[in-house]
Amino acid sequence: MRIVILGTGAGGGLPQWNCGCPNCGRARDGLIPAMSQSGIAVSANGRDWALINASPDLRGQLQATPALAPQALRGTPIRSVLVSNGDIDHVAGLLTLREGQGFDLFATKAIHAVLAENPMLSALDARLVRRAEVALDQPFELAPGLTACLFAVPGKVPLYLEGETVETGLIGEQTVGVELTANGRRACYVPGCAEVPDWLKQRLAGCDALLFDGTLWTDDEMIRAGLGAKTGRRMGHVPVSGADGSMAALAGLALGQRIFVHLNNSNPLVDPGSPERALARAEGWQVGHDGLEITP
Ligand code: MLT
Ligand code: MN
Ligand code: ZN
């Protein structure tokens, strides 16, 4: 199995267009690596690929990934696209895939309903793009030789659908993790997760690679930095650090590679020279970067 991290950043990316925070400034100056928005590409055979999440940066991500280039006058090695929630950073890139190309679009029923409400996405010609509903915990063929299985993780509805009260620990079809299996190997991709209960740990245990929500280092870092009014948990993202963070929760688990993805620009982990990055490394965690390829 090959997994390419197309984009390591959370919504907004690094640098974010309207952000003058120290991390965004350093990324703008080329002092730390920029991060495009969240998504990966996966293949079991190196010829047929699936995208998981289609970020607004997808066009540049495809251009930067030779394996995803067309092999014919018109065509693509991308057989399918799977979205793990309805957030803009995970679905806006679908509009980039509208040029009369066939592929399968996989999502849960709830997320397909959200996509169906958006008339702009009818630009994906229904005669070419097959919208396939996937039930939780039912393995299916995502691309030749590549099996995926969606599982619920604590999360919430997309930001643009939030009502007056928001439940951030919803367990259902709105936010899912993706288990990928091919050639006897198993990887899990969980770019958004509001908490790490024991049942989720059991679901992740033993995988050869875990790509996990690294949005924020501390729950209130955006508030303290003057960048926003919300905590990470309110945004549906468990923080990395602290006694109740993801690193502590996953510490005892038997896992192969552990990689943080979906990093917000406020997260000190985006700076390769930060003490937080050294701490994470000491705990066995790697921080993803755009273009990183792993073979779980
Ligand atoms: C998130 O991951 O919390 C969302 O992508 C936020 C957003 O839609 O910008
Ligand atoms: Mn996001
Ligand atoms: Zn910033």
Side-chain angles (χ1 to χ4, degrees), residues 162-210:
E162 285 184 6
E164 233 147 68
T165 56
V166 179
E167 201 189 322
T168 55
L170 279 180
I171 316 288
E173 292 198 344
Q174 291 290 345
T175 304
V176 298
V178 185
E179 178 186 62
L180 299 159
T181 46
N183 310 316
R185 310 296 285 176
R186 177 168 161 255
C188 287
Y189 175 55
V190 185
C193 184
E195 44 184 304
V196 190
D198 284 342
W199 57 262
L200 179 58
K201 287 191 232 175
Q202 283 158 26
R203 191 76 178 76
L204 302 173
C207 67
D208 298 296
L210 172 64

Side-chain angles (χ1 to χ4, degrees), residues 10-12 37-38 85-90 156 158-160 162 191-192 213 215 230 232 234-237 262:
Q37 293 167 87
S38 174
N85 63 20
D87 285 351
I88 289 175
D89 58 345
H90 286 162
K156 63 170 187 64
L159 178 59
Y160 57 89
E162 285 184 6
D213 186 344
T215 307
K230 288 183 194 166
R234 169 61 187 77
M235 295 189 292
H237 298 289
H262 193 278

Side-chain angles (χ1 to χ4, degrees), residues 15-128:
Q16 178 176 312
W17 72 283
N18 64 344
C19 191
C21 80
N23 280 340
C24 287
R26 281 199 289 271
R28 234 169 245 123
D29 292 342
L31 300 174
I32 60 174
M35 290 179 170
S36 65
Q37 293 167 87
S38 174
I40 64 172
V42 197
S43 177
N45 59 19
R47 292 184 306 278
D48 304 290
W49 290 81
L51 304 182
I52 309 187
N53 292 325
S55 94
D57 300 321
L58 187 58
R59 184 174 175 279
Q61 294 169 346
L62 299 186
Q63 206 173 316
T65 313
L68 301 177
Q71 261 88 52
L73 185 57
R74 277 289 163 93
T76 176
I78 299 167
R79 305 286 166 246
S80 63
V81 181
L82 161 65
V83 296
S84 65
N85 63 20
D87 285 351
I88 289 175
D89 58 345
H90 286 162
V91 304
L94 290 171
L95 290 171
T96 295
L97 303 174
R98 71 189 177 281
E99 275 90 9
Q101 185 67 51
F103 60 90
D104 289 334
L105 176 55
F106 292 108
T108 63
K109 187 175 182 182
I111 293 307
H112 270 305
V114 171
L115 300 180
E117 273 170 30
N118 187 325
M120 215 183 272
L121 286 172
S122 63
L124 296 179
D125 187 340
R127 288 164 302 183
L128 297 169

